[in-house]
Amino acid sequence: MNDLVSILTPTFNTEKFIRLTIESAQNQTYTNWEMILVDDASTDNTVAIIEEFVKKDSRIKLFKLSENRGNGFARNAALEKATGKYIAYLDADDLWFPEKLEKQIQFLKANNLHFTFSFYDSIDEEGNDLNRRVESPNPLTYKQLFFCNYVGNLTAIYDADYFGKIILETSQKRQDWRIWLTILKQIKTAKPVPESLAFYRIRKDSVSSSKFKLIKHNFGVYREFHGYNLVFSILLMVRFLFTQLIIKPKCIKKV
């Protein structure tokens, strides 16, 4: 069955990247999708660029927020509008390989799964290939995910008929990691498609490029999301940092 995939894309001042991102969705060999873009009150030409695509492709839908509410709020707003069986994430500066959706849907169905993700390659802000591939344990267990987010947001797909729409508090950072933890707490393990299917863009001003912000937000996952006390959260962060600095680099391959 050719099930509908809802692609969620929050946007904010991404005029430099959004055209290529939308085109990477349009280039998919799997064509039964809707792309739901929620603009978080951009002040550049992001909305105008998206509107060009909306006029030509009925699968692309734009919703505009009247004030800036943050990436998490915009992503949740997109999820609420989604009508597909499958939920996929594509941030406004990332890119998919043309076979990305087709291969993942086939993988889900062939293995009777309700959630999967894939490996991904990295590019810089100008789109230059950094020759770096990020892989993950296979299979990925809840315990492994608990100490490190191995799931690239731009690669994840889950079955909304099975899990329901997973909406989390927008005030909490690392929303993507919290979603995967919610899923794996239920299914215990996950299998990635064991190949790269996307390009993750590393930007100078991104949260992932700031080590201090990353530590702060990851600590919040243990303290706020899991609800652990301060001392135990600090101990968990020590284990997290060990995994992040010693174990995860082994998953990064030169290509």
Side-chain angles (χ1 to χ4, degrees):
M1 186 181 294
N2 194 24
D3 295 302
L4 180 66
V5 178
S6 293
I7 305 168
L8 310 186
T9 305
T11 66
F12 177 69
N13 289 349
T14 54
E15 64 178 3
K16 183 178 178 181
F17 312 109
I18 190 60
R19 188 180 300 277
L20 290 175
T21 298
I22 296 174
E23 288 175 350
S24 79
Q26 288 183 311
N27 291 335
Q28 291 300 298
T29 55
Y30 187 97
T31 58
N32 190 23
W33 51 262
E34 61 176 2
M35 187 175 195
I36 302 173
L37 299 108
V38 173
D39 186 74
D40 195 21
S42 290
T43 57
D44 64 0
N45 291 320
T46 298
V47 168
I49 294 170
I50 297 171
E51 287 175 339
E52 293 176 20
F53 287 94
V54 171
K55 292 176 184 178
K56 299 176 182 178
D57 193 333
S58 62
R59 298 172 298 177
I60 300 171
K61 305 169 185 179
L62 171 64
F63 300 91
K64 295 177 281 187
L65 301 180
S66 59
E67 60 180 332
N68 185 266
R69 301 293 298 275
N71 189 70
F73 185 94
R75 185 179 286 122
N76 277 350
L79 182 57
E80 290 174 354
K81 301 289 186 181
T83 61
K85 172 179 174 61
Y86 294 108
I87 303 297
Y89 297 87
L90 178 59
D91 284 345
D93 51 2
D94 294 332
L95 304 171
W96 283 351
F97 295 1
E99 303 84 7
K100 194 263 186 189
L101 287 181
E102 181 179 2
K103 287 186 174 182
Q104 284 194 283
I105 298 301
Q106 288 176 349
F107 188 80
L108 284 167
K109 294 181 181 298
N111 293 281
N112 194 29
L113 302 174
H114 303 287
F115 170 73
T116 192
F117 57 104
S118 77
F119 305 158
Y120 60 91
D121 291 350
S122 300
I123 56 177
D124 66 15
E125 193 157 351
E126 303 305 320
N128 299 307
D129 194 338
L130 297 176
N131 300 314
R132 188 174 72 179
R133 179 159 298 161
V134 181
E135 301 184 356
S136 75
N138 185 11
L140 175 66
T141 67
Y142 177 79
K143 183 177 180 181
Q144 288 170 316
L145 185 69
F146 186 85
F147 290 110
C148 183
N149 183 14
Y150 288 100
V151 180
N153 185 63
L154 71 165
T155 73
I157 291 181
Y158 73 83
D159 185 343
D161 288 348
Y162 184 83
F163 295 106
K165 293 181 178 181
I166 303 173
I167 298 178
L168 300 178
E169 292 184 27
T170 59
S171 61
Q172 297 177 335
K173 301 297 183 180
R174 294 311 307 269
Q175 191 181 47
D176 56 338
W177 189 18
R178 298 166 197 252
I179 293 172
W180 322 143
L181 285 165
T182 299
I183 288 174
L184 260 73
K185 192 171 185 178
Q186 181 173 341
I187 63 175
K188 308 306 180 187
T189 62
K191 293 181 179 180
V193 178
E195 63 179 289
S196 177
L197 295 176
F199 281 117
Y200 172 73
R201 192 184 302 273
I202 298 176
R203 296 170 60 184
K204 297 174 184 177
D205 60 347
S206 68
V207 171
S208 59
S209 68
S210 169
K211 291 181 173 57
F212 175 77
K213 287 182 179 179
L214 200 58
I215 290 172
K216 177 183 176 182
H217 297 328
N218 289 331
F219 177 77
V221 172
Y222 295 121
R223 190 82 171 95
E224 301 163 6
F225 181 69
H226 292 293
Y228 296 125
N229 63 41
L230 178 61
V231 173
F232 193 51
S233 295
I234 291 173
L235 292 174
L236 291 172
M237 271 304 297
V238 172
R239 173 69 181 273
F240 170 88
L241 290 171
F242 173 81
T243 304
Q244 192 76 17
L245 297 173
I246 305 300
I247 298 177
K248 189 174 183 181
K250 297 177 183 178
C251 295
I252 301 175
K253 314 292 184 181
K254 283 189 173 294
V255 292

